[in-house]
Amino acid sequence: MRQGHVIPCRAKDSVGQWEYCTLFHALSNTLSLRKWGREFGRLSRNDGPPGVDFNLIFHARRAMRNCLLRLLFLVPGLCLSGFASAQKTEFQTVMPERSYGDPYTGDMVSNGIITPLDQKMQNFYIRNADGVIEVLLEADAKIGLQSRVQKGGFESREVVCRVGDQVRTFDLPTVLYVRRSFQDAAAVRDYLARGSKPVFDGKLYVDPVPDHLPTEKEPWISGRFMRENGRFMDVKIGDDIYQIGTQGHDGQHRIMGLLKRADIKPFTQQAFVHGHMKGDVFHASEVALRLLEDPAGKDDPDLPRYLFIGDSISGNYDKSLRAALQGRLNVYHPPTNCGAVRKGVQNVVQWLGAYDQPGLQWDVISFNFGHWDSRNTKEEYQAGLERVISELGKTKAKLVFVTTTPIPCGYPDPAGLQSDGRAPGRVQQTMTRFINPWAMEVMSRHPEIGICDQHALLTSEPFYATWMGSAGTADRSKKNEYGDLHIGGILAEPAGRILARKVLDILGQEKTALAASSLSAHELDPDRQRPATKGMNAEDLVELLNQNERLRRYNR
């Protein structure tokens, strides 16, 4: 056990952990596991720190499992078939690094919310769909920033990270470098056989990297960053320019060496680790840190905490929702477009963060998956929702499902299910006929989950009639002045406010009024409307935004 691994815990947890340590002490001494026996015996005798955290228990369970297996071998005649496979830990979130059909880099990758392992944060855990994975930093491990870079950021040598309403700025050095590894000689041959075409899975580096073209004995390519060129970087190697993509998860660039080990913080960062597994420990040669919203200095400790999960539609009503709940809830959204339910299954643990830590709990969570599932099957979609609900339920928060908004009439005519049972995609009526009914079947099995019916709002209110009848196009190359399936501008106002009303109601705050709508007289001027809201009844809209009974009409 690493020195410094034992850290204080809440007093209410101590008794059970002492009992656990005492039991383990007896068992491990019986099996001659002196190292573990001494450490856990010390704790059980109460001559150590006042308690241990859940990470210590994680180690105890892992070691105890191995002890029990050894004990079984001592029992004569016991059949042990199948136990060997039971000892092997399989991590679904740890996988080889590879984008699209590009050659493998040779690294294994995973990611998750950082939680403490030792007091100095020299090593840590990542929490994700696998539970927790121990991360051991190699001696020369590089630490970097993973972030989108705003337009013109590389030219100005500045990265502006916006997470919710928090902003942090990082200066870039005048010269940057790019490096991309290949798994082996075969991967190099594959790259060269393609004529050294543009390749993804590179990273930017602050420290100098020499020019190098890949060979079978030295399988990497590196050079000096020149400029951003679409999805790739122009990289100068010798006198020639090669294109290497440096974007990782969610289109975020990895800039290695920009941060240091001291910058690793628990609970408010997501770590993207690169390296390899040894047993059930991830040995990281590189770690890219994605910044998350830090509640310190932001949250009002007297207010409930609310997380809303959704795709770009939730981004449309983000402003309206936050404005309506200002001074009523601490509001958060994952730092991503939450996409399809499959992405939810893979990432919901990270989105929830360290909700078991004081001050980081969730009191209410709303969620939606739909538009990105317009070609999903009923079975896959419903199974994904069930898995997400299972994880959300662990938080003990109140839950609200948000129905998926409709696809307007500018899109292709309605269609039936495809031959493989998949929904017909982004055509009219897909949400009405398939996605929302499938979702409601799942919600009927969870009567404790509230419903915010944004689909009914958009298909029922006269305010949306012009948008519903004209927005969208069957030809993506053509732009429609009425917009597409997104509800930008004032179209998003009612959607945000009915959700705000439902969230307060499910928390038992039915008498708490929403904050006044932030729409200005200029925004409500009928003569200044875009085509999608031309001819709207401004008086009726204001009534909709501010009358609780009209807002509650679409909630249940």
Side-chain angles (χ1 to χ4, degrees):
M1 181 174 294
R2 294 188 189 87
Q3 188 175 5
H5 190 101
V6 181
I7 62 176
C9 72
R10 296 184 295 273
K12 66 180 181 180
D13 297 329
S14 300
V15 175
Q17 291 179 1
W18 272 186
E19 293 174 351
Y20 191 97
C21 293
T22 303
L23 171 63
F24 189 86
H25 174 57
L27 177 61
S28 59
N29 276 324
T30 300
L31 298 177
S32 299
L33 299 178
R34 300 301 179 187
K35 181 178 179 181
W36 281 94
R38 284 195 300 271
E39 181 67 20
F40 279 78
R42 178 178 66 80
L43 292 172
S44 65
R45 291 193 304 273
N46 208 26
D47 58 358
V52 291
D53 71 343
F54 70 92
N55 293 323
L56 184 57
I57 297 304
F58 171 78
H59 276 289
R61 289 194 183 112
R62 185 175 68 189
M64 198 168 189
R65 175 199 65 196
N66 294 333
C67 293
L68 290 170
L69 288 170
R70 288 184 60 185
L71 181 63
L72 289 173
F73 276 101
L74 302 178
V75 181
L78 183 64
C79 177
L80 297 173
S81 63
F83 274 93
S85 60
Q87 294 185 69
K88 183 179 179 181
T89 305
E90 294 184 358
F91 293 106
Q92 296 183 5
T93 65
V94 179
M95 58 192 67
E97 183 179 34
R98 184 189 194 188
S99 294
Y100 307 104
D102 289 343
Y104 290 104
T105 66
D107 275 346
M108 300 296 287
V109 294
S110 189
N111 73 86
I113 298 296
I114 296 174
T115 59
L117 188 157
D118 57 43
Q119 291 173 316
K120 296 182 179 180
M121 287 301 295
Q122 294 298 308
N123 304 292
F124 53 87
Y125 292 109
I126 54 173
R127 182 187 296 186
N128 58 27
D130 281 320
V132 290
I133 301 175
E134 181 178 347
V135 176
L136 175 65
L137 295 178
E138 295 183 350
D140 58 349
K142 288 189 177 296
I143 313 300
L145 175 70
Q146 180 149 329
S147 174
R148 291 184 182 272
V149 177
Q150 74 281 8
K151 187 176 181 180
F154 286 111
E155 289 76 8
S156 63
R157 292 298 192 262
E158 182 181 70
V159 179
V160 179
C161 292
R162 299 182 184 275
V163 185
D165 57 1
Q166 299 173 339
V167 180
R168 288 190 62 186
T169 301
F170 298 87
D171 294 327
L172 297 177
T174 303
V175 180
L176 288 168
Y177 302 86
V178 176
R179 188 181 192 275
R180 202 272 192 197
S181 298
F182 296 89
Q183 178 173 288
D184 49 26
V188 172
R189 289 195 295 270
D190 182 14
Y191 172 69
L192 296 176
R194 300 182 187 191
S196 302
K197 290 183 177 180
V199 63
F200 287 100
D201 297 322
K203 302 182 189 74
L204 288 155
Y205 290 84
V206 169
D207 298 327
V209 177
D211 289 3
H212 182 78
L213 291 173
T215 66
E216 294 188 8
K217 291 185 177 181
E218 297 179 328
W220 72 86
I221 182 172
S222 59
R224 180 172 173 173
F225 163 75
M226 300 304 293
R227 67 189 64 83
E228 194 172 15
N229 188 349
R231 301 176 69 190
F232 296 93
M233 300 300 197
D234 284 345
V235 181
K236 188 175 183 180
I237 304 174
D239 294 327
D240 298 319
I241 297 294
Y242 295 79
Q243 291 191 319
I244 303 174
T246 61
Q247 296 178 353
H249 187 84
D250 278 348
Q252 298 182 327
H253 292 282
R254 291 83 62 88
I255 310 173
M256 308 310 301
L258 191 62
L259 302 177
K260 307 299 181 185
R261 290 193 184 207
D263 295 313
I264 299 174
K265 306 295 182 186
F267 310 129
T268 59
Q269 294 174 350
Q270 182 177 1
F272 292 79
V273 294
H274 301 251
H276 60 281
M277 294 293 296
K278 285 186 179 179
D280 54 4
V281 176
F282 194 103
H283 290 244
S285 58
E286 295 183 319
V287 177
L289 302 175
R290 180 183 195 175
L291 306 183
L292 306 176
E293 283 190 271
D294 186 352
K298 172 191 172 180
D299 275 7
D300 182 335
D302 296 326
L303 298 180
R305 300 182 80 243
Y306 167 40
L307 176 70
F308 69 107
I309 295 171
D311 56 23
S312 55
I313 302 298
S314 70
N316 292 156
Y317 61 72
D318 180 291
K319 179 181 176 182
S320 170
L321 178 67
R322 291 178 186 270
L325 295 174
Q326 186 174 9
R328 291 145 178 84
L329 301 178
N330 297 306
V331 182
Y332 289 84
H333 188 282
T336 184
N337 179 325
C338 298
V341 72
R342 181 172 178 268
K343 184 175 180 179
V345 169
Q346 295 170 340
N347 294 278
V348 65
V349 174
Q350 291 95 305
W351 297 340
L352 293 174
Y355 60 82
D356 53 352
Q357 298 299 309
L360 298 179
Q361 82 290 340
W362 298 115
D363 298 286
V364 59
I365 302 170
S366 65
F367 63 106
N368 163 266
F369 302 97
H371 279 297
W372 286 77
D373 289 287
S374 63
R375 292 189 183 277
N376 209 340
T377 66
K378 179 179 181 179
E379 293 73 18
E380 291 173 358
Y381 181 63
Q382 291 187 332
L385 285 178
E386 290 285 9
R387 291 183 63 182
V388 168
I389 290 169
S390 175
E391 290 297 333
L392 298 181
K394 295 175 183 178
T395 69
K396 308 303 181 184
K398 300 288 187 181
L399 302 181
V400 176
F401 179 74
V402 183
T403 61
T404 303
T405 53
I407 297 176
C409 296
Y411 285 89
D413 291 337
L417 292 175
Q418 300 177 40
S419 59
D420 59 358
R422 297 188 178 278
R426 289 183 175 177
V427 300
Q428 298 174 48
Q429 299 294 312
T430 292
M431 304 306 150
T432 306
R433 298 170 61 195
F434 304 112
I435 301 302
N436 282 327
W438 294 349
M440 287 302 100
E441 285 185 18
V442 173
M443 301 311 143
S444 69
R445 300 195 284 268
H446 302 275
E448 74 281 5
I449 298 177
I451 305 298
C452 175
D453 200 346
Q454 289 186 348
H455 184 278
L457 170 77
L458 270 65
T459 55
S460 302
E461 286 293 336
F463 173 65
Y464 290 101
T466 301
W467 174 83
M468 273 295 299
S470 304
T473 177
D475 186 349
R476 292 185 179 181
S477 65
K478 296 181 180 179
K479 191 172 182 179
N480 185 342
E481 65 176 350
Y482 291 91
D484 55 21
L485 57 80
H486 293 92
I487 47 174
I490 65 172
L491 287 169
E493 284 293 316
R497 291 183 72 81
I498 69 162
L499 179 53
R501 183 69 269 165
K502 179 59 183 178
V503 166
L504 288 178
D505 287 353
I506 204 169
L507 286 172
Q509 298 188 32
E510 294 90 344
K511 295 183 179 180
T512 301
L514 300 180
S517 172
S518 60
L519 285 181
S520 66
H522 176 82
E523 291 173 299
L524 292 170
D525 186 346
D527 295 329
R528 296 179 178 273
Q529 297 305 308
R530 298 182 304 169
T533 53
K534 202 76 173 176
M536 72 170 186
N537 185 331
E539 184 177 335
D540 183 67
L541 174 61
V542 170
E543 181 183 287
L544 171 62
L545 298 178
N546 294 288
Q547 254 194 27
N548 281 331
E549 291 312 309
R550 284 191 67 180
L551 295 174
R552 289 188 174 115
R553 186 182 301 170
Y554 303 102
N555 294 328
R556 55 187 185 275

